[in-house]
Amino acid sequence: MPSGKHTVAEKAWGGVFDESTDRRVEEFTESVSFDRRLYAHDVAGSVAHAQMLAQVGLITSEECRQIEQGLDEIRQRIERGEFPFSVELEDIHMHIERALIDRIGDTGRKLHTGRSRNDQVSTDLRLWTRDAIDRIDRRLVALQRAFVDRCDGDFDCILPAYTHLQRAQPVLAPHYWLAWCEKYQRDRQRLADCRRRVNVSSLGTAALAGTSLPIDRHDVARRLGFDDVAANSLDVSSDRDFVLETVFALTVIAEHLGSWAEEWILWSTVEFNFLKLPQAFCTGSSIMPQKINPDVLELTRGKTARMIGNLQTLLVLVKGLPLAYNRDLQEDKLPLFDSVDTVEAVLELAAGLVAGAQLNRPAIAERLDRGYLDATTLMEYLIGRDVPQRTAHGVVGRLVGEARKQDVRLADLPVESFTAACGELDERVYDVLGVERAVRAMQSYGSTGPDQVRRQIERWKELLESGHSGPRTDDEANHD
Ligand code: ARG
């Protein structure tokens, strides 16, 4: 960045100062190296502000036109990479304002009427976050779609499901896929709910107390597509709840992605051998020629760490801050930007991985009989014959113990074992044993029974086909 060319008077706040700023202070306090990402939203906020100023008569419509045109040219210069950034001008807001003044003179000096950088940065960040939420929502839908698109093809595949990572009960593969869809749906609802508080206008609260000028904050809010106008200037000047909430919602998404990645890393091992990952999403080893490593999934899991770090940074940043704006708040952007970038990148690859992975059906089927996945269904069969649950649990537990000693399936035990274990059992017990029968026996709402899963697949197809423009909360969805 070029060395100091602006004198004391050239700083936007230069009037009261006799001394020019120490170069090290400029470098320490600058934010333009990262908040330049807000340029488009800064321009949009300024255009709406200028239009409102013209509307209420604080500037003329000709002045407004000059401001709009000047800002548009600046935006284009930034986009062409021709805009000079320098630490003396601190942040993106000062850069754009200075460039405007350099371009259109005194008219440019009127743009900051009735606002301060405190409400300006809050507005920019709200607009930027709103766009980010909408982009991430679309990526979540794409990931859900990748899971739903697998469901019909994988319908007849039964997987062992786990608790404590020990084989528990059999489920249909689409039941597994839709479990992830449900998690990402809650993520979408969280984002939609948080978006309501993001989408509130802070512009015109000025520094912290509002302004004595006759501005129209509701007019500005409408122009920028905000749903509401913040009602207390002192509160909103210091408010970064919307950043905390967004980053929290993103961190939960990362947690979900990380758990899914962990599961698929395990599933793609020789030991599990459930899944073949698409090679385009794997990397190799520089020394072991045979290796095909799930690095994308490992980094998906690993990046959860920085997401949690970003959330913690923000929580500590605002802890104990007095009202209203404090410069500490400038530090909110890096963790927000990083969390958005990270989740977006991971989501994009996740959809491709889900679409490209192949279930290794023979290997799964071959070992499906291991682990007594049908034991719980046998217990429920006894309950159906009026055996109390605790008693039935004990009976099946003893039968599993017997089978395990002989290293056979429950279905391989002789009928005498069953009749000896419980008077309610006879040769008909073989009709309920085995994983396929165990899956078919399921009937409760939300279970892995084929009818239930088929209904859920239809529900998901409809949900994803109903195509809407952005994230919605449950309430909003229910009003359709
Ligand atoms: N760059 C600052 C930030 O991101 C803008 C607001 C500065 N306001 C002030 N009064 N110094 O927070």
Side-chain angles (χ1 to χ4, degrees), residues 31 35 91 93 117-118 121 325 327 329-330 333:
S31 56
D35 67 14
D91 55 28
H93 325 294
R117 269 187 303 157
N118 299 350
V121 70
Y325 178 82
R327 191 63 177 272
L329 295 177
Q330 179 167 291
K333 286 162 212 66

Side-chain angles (χ1 to χ4, degrees), residues 66-195:
Q66 282 178 34
I67 289 173
E68 279 183 54
Q69 195 183 329
L71 288 171
D72 192 52
E73 282 163 17
I74 291 164
R75 187 178 51 72
Q76 289 181 35
R77 269 183 76 200
I78 295 175
E79 278 163 8
R80 286 198 302 268
E82 291 167 5
F83 190 90
F85 292 103
S86 65
V87 292
E88 296 99 65
L89 286 173
E90 244 180 67
D91 55 28
I92 188 65
H93 325 294
M94 300 280 224
H95 275 79
I96 291 177
E97 190 188 343
R98 171 60 57 91
L100 184 71
I101 294 167
D102 288 348
R103 246 182 152 71
I104 64 171
D106 267 353
T107 302
R109 290 198 165 82
K110 294 188 175 181
L111 175 61
H112 215 48
T113 303
R115 75 172 189 191
S116 91
R117 269 187 303 157
N118 299 350
D119 53 340
Q120 190 179 352
V121 70
S122 158
T123 303
D124 292 4
L125 210 53
R126 285 166 184 277
L127 292 172
W128 189 90
T129 304
R130 186 176 74 183
D131 281 352
I133 285 176
D134 293 347
R135 281 198 313 276
I136 288 168
D137 184 68
R138 285 194 292 274
R139 287 186 195 265
L140 284 170
V141 173
L143 178 55
Q144 288 177 317
R145 195 160 279 140
F147 276 116
V148 171
D149 282 349
R150 294 198 63 115
C151 285
D152 289 333
D154 294 337
F155 195 84
D156 55 344
C157 179
I158 297 177
L159 294 167
Y162 299 79
T163 61
H164 314 268
L165 212 51
Q166 301 288 324
R167 287 194 164 204
Q169 289 186 278
V171 298
L172 292 177
H175 201 53
Y176 241 121
W177 305 154
L178 295 185
W180 291 110
C181 285
E182 297 288 343
K183 292 187 195 301
Y184 296 122
Q185 190 66 5
R186 288 194 296 279
D187 290 334
R188 297 186 62 210
Q189 288 161 359
R190 248 184 299 278
L191 282 177
D193 185 52
C194 155
R195 190 187 192 278

Side-chain angles (χ1 to χ4, degrees), residues 27-77:
E27 271 164 11
F28 183 68
T29 55
E30 69 88 21
S31 56
V32 73
S33 55
F34 50 91
D35 67 14
R36 64 177 73 173
R37 282 184 76 166
L38 299 173
Y39 78 92
H41 301 92
D42 194 72
V43 166
S46 289
V47 167
H49 184 70
Q51 288 170 343
M52 177 278 290
L53 291 177
Q55 179 80 25
V56 300
L58 281 164
I59 61 173
T60 67
S61 49
E62 171 52 21
E63 286 170 331
C64 178
R65 199 196 55 74
Q66 282 178 34
I67 289 173
E68 279 183 54
Q69 195 183 329
L71 288 171
D72 192 52
E73 282 163 17
I74 291 164
R75 187 178 51 72
Q76 289 181 35
R77 269 183 76 200

Side-chain angles (χ1 to χ4, degrees), residues 184-384:
Y184 296 122
Q185 190 66 5
R186 288 194 296 279
D187 290 334
R188 297 186 62 210
Q189 288 161 359
R190 248 184 299 278
L191 282 177
D193 185 52
C194 155
R195 190 187 192 278
R196 298 207 280 208
R197 285 173 293 279
V198 169
N199 204 27
V200 172
S201 183
S202 40
L203 206 55
T205 55
L208 79 168
T211 170
S212 56
L213 298 166
I215 61 167
D216 183 347
R217 291 191 53 214
H218 291 84
D219 178 88
V220 164
R222 264 192 305 277
R223 291 176 194 278
L224 292 171
F226 284 120
D227 292 329
D228 205 355
V229 179
N232 184 304
S233 58
L234 199 53
D235 163 44
V236 80
S237 176
S238 66
D239 174 28
R240 289 297 181 275
D241 297 4
F242 69 97
V243 177
L244 295 178
E245 276 190 73
T246 302
V247 172
F248 170 74
L250 298 180
T251 307
V252 179
I253 297 172
E255 295 275 3
H256 288 153
L257 287 162
S259 291
W260 159 76
E262 164 68 5
E263 192 158 274
W264 277 29
I265 290 166
L266 285 172
W267 284 14
S268 65
T269 58
V270 169
E271 285 69 20
F272 267 84
N273 199 19
F274 282 8
L275 207 61
K276 188 166 174 280
L277 299 172
Q279 287 199 358
F281 288 77
C282 294
T283 54
S285 156
S286 58
I287 177 166
M288 296 168 284
Q290 85 284 12
K291 294 299 292 291
I292 300 176
N293 292 327
D295 294 36
V296 172
L297 288 170
E298 289 167 316
L299 283 168
T300 295
R301 183 178 58 188
K303 282 179 190 289
T304 315
R306 63 202 272 180
M307 298 292 297
I308 297 168
N310 288 339
L311 177 60
Q312 177 151 353
T313 298
L314 286 164
L315 288 167
V316 177
L317 180 68
V318 298
K319 177 190 171 294
L321 278 189
L323 293 178
Y325 178 82
N326 295 278
R327 191 63 177 272
D328 314 45
L329 295 177
Q330 179 167 291
E331 292 281 312
D332 62 356
K333 286 162 212 66
L334 286 168
L336 172 68
F337 292 165
D338 187 61
S339 288
V340 168
D341 292 346
T342 303
V343 162
E344 278 199 89
V346 173
L347 279 174
E348 172 155 359
L349 291 176
L353 261 166
V354 169
Q358 282 169 24
L359 281 174
N360 195 351
R361 287 159 177 259
I364 296 166
E366 204 183 304
R367 287 169 295 152
L368 207 52
D369 280 333
R370 313 198 60 175
Y372 303 98
L373 296 166
D374 49 358
T376 307
T377 321
L378 175 58
M379 178 196 73
E380 291 182 347
Y381 171 74
L382 282 173
I383 293 170

